[in-house]
Amino acid sequence: MPEPELSKEQRKQLREALISAFPGKSKLKMMLLEELDVRLDIVVGGETYGDTVSELILWAEGEGRLEELINGAIGRVPGNPKLRKFAHSLSSQDSGNTNLSRQDTCTTNLRKWDAFPEIDWRGPTEDEELQGFLPPKPDSWDVTFLKRGIEQSLSICRIEVTGIGAVGTGFLVTQNLLLTNYHVLRGYEPELKIDPQDISLRFDYLTEDIEEKTETQVFGLKYECPILCSSPTEKLDYLLLQVEDKIFQAEGIQPVTYNQQELPSKGMGIHILHHPNGETMKITPSSNGITGIYQKQGKIQYVSNTSGGSSGSPCFNDDWQVVALHRAEKTRTFGAIGEGILFSAIYQEIAKFLC
């Protein structure tokens, strides 16, 4: 397909979206280097940061790399609202009225980022009440609590798709079985026909230590039967994936711990290990963040500070046992309201594979 061309207004929208997603020049430089293998200072100049971003867009158009730039940016910061809005505006245009056809590779890839599920929120609606579920940050943390969290982080990976970048988070429930959201890969392939060669699971994706470089471990999916079990987005929204056998020889990787019979309750703590916006792994703790449990629907709702790229993350209780699979969030003035699928509900469908 031909490289898409942007209108004057679209260039302005993309410039604003890139500045919003990468508020500092250093972050934009890192994205370009890691996603496009391009050094920003070599290809463009600009007296101000805004000028630099404008020149970058023009450079990408001239070099036929606009699609790479857009997909690289969205892959890096999938939850940014301006990038998502820009992606939606491209994918929703009629092919007869624009240079960006619906069949273009660029818009086909961008359509993926409209795949975030909606939340049927059943808890409090006033920000003041919701903010009460996010207590002030403590002056100190219990070391044993943090140690247990670090142990569970050994199960977490960033899920990447060739040509798109980071699309979500996943975690091991056995040494070679990975759990994530159905919608994480549903947007990549409409009928969920996964090509294992396109999927990478990056473990140990952490902020680099000042004294010692952190080495990531990357695995693919098992070529035959990569999907063991699944439930669509509108139901339990999960995928149980088989990782290639070489993960059995990996060091420093282990599955999460869980108690499928234990249900969380309103007001309890919920702690999420995730790759927000495709970034290095973060922990989002909350000592009393759960606003409601809806066992009949298999769902849990809570207040947190998650963001795009967190889909497919494990939600832990105070004992660091998995209680839910994080699936969606909606930004509010104080943070975000979130929704997950109860692990106990998923377990009923995947138990036969965990033996």
Side-chain angles (χ1 to χ4, degrees), residues 42-189:
I42 293 179
V43 296
V44 297
E47 294 184 5
T48 67
Y49 184 45
D51 292 340
T52 297
V53 176
S54 294
E55 288 188 19
L56 176 63
I57 294 171
L58 293 173
W59 170 86
E61 285 187 285
E63 294 294 319
R65 303 191 68 176
L66 182 61
E67 179 185 329
E68 285 185 79
L69 174 63
I70 297 172
N71 285 332
I74 294 176
R76 196 78 173 187
V77 194
N80 182 272
K82 288 191 175 182
L83 274 178
R84 289 175 62 183
K85 183 178 179 179
F86 180 76
H88 177 73
S89 70
L90 291 184
S91 62
S92 63
Q93 295 179 92
D94 292 331
S95 60
N97 298 326
T98 178
N99 291 325
L100 290 174
S101 164
R102 284 183 183 273
Q103 282 72 45
D104 283 345
T105 303
C106 181
T107 54
T108 298
N109 286 343
L110 289 173
R111 197 173 293 120
K112 180 237 177 286
W113 304 109
D114 257 352
F116 294 98
E118 294 294 325
I119 298 177
D120 179 17
W121 184 253
R122 304 184 181 199
T125 57
E126 296 296 326
D127 281 358
E128 184 176 349
E129 185 176 359
L130 285 168
Q131 194 167 3
F133 287 90
L134 282 178
K137 294 181 180 180
D139 294 329
S140 60
W141 288 97
D142 183 82
V143 173
T144 299
F145 174 82
L146 295 176
K147 181 180 179 181
R148 290 174 179 170
I150 292 172
E151 290 172 351
Q152 296 304 309
S153 73
L154 301 177
S155 71
I156 314 297
C157 73
R158 189 178 81 164
I159 301 176
E160 304 168 359
V161 175
T162 301
I164 296 178
V167 296
T169 303
F171 61 98
L172 292 171
V173 289
T174 71
Q175 191 62 35
N176 72 322
L177 298 185
L178 188 94
L179 195 64
T180 189
N181 287 130
Y182 186 94
H183 77 262
V184 164
L185 294 179
R186 167 66 175 77
Y188 152 66
E189 185 64 53

Side-chain angles (χ1 to χ4, degrees), residues 195-212:
D195 184 345
Q197 297 182 34
D198 288 342
I199 311 298
S200 297
L201 311 174
R202 188 175 301 276
F203 290 82
D204 300 323
Y205 186 53
L206 310 173
T207 302
E208 290 188 4
D209 190 287
I210 296 176
E211 298 179 354
E212 183 179 355

Side-chain angles (χ1 to χ4, degrees), residues 14 16 38 46 67 70 87 99 116-117 144 190 282 301 342-343:
L14 179 56
E16 293 175 351
V38 168
E67 179 185 329
I70 297 172
N99 291 325
F116 294 98
T144 299
K282 304 293 190 298
Q301 293 183 341
L342 289 169
F343 184 76

Side-chain angles (χ1 to χ4, degrees), residues 4-5 11 30 41 46-47 67 104 119 132 144-145 151-152 200 212 250 252 254 275 279 294 313 319 323 341 354:
E5 295 180 4
R11 289 190 190 96
M30 185 65 69
D41 295 334
E47 294 184 5
E67 179 185 329
D104 283 345
I119 298 177
T144 299
F145 174 82
E151 290 172 351
Q152 296 304 309
S200 297
E212 183 179 355
Q254 64 185 37
H275 288 286
E279 297 174 0
Y294 309 100
S313 304
D319 294 323
V323 294
I341 303 297
L354 306 185

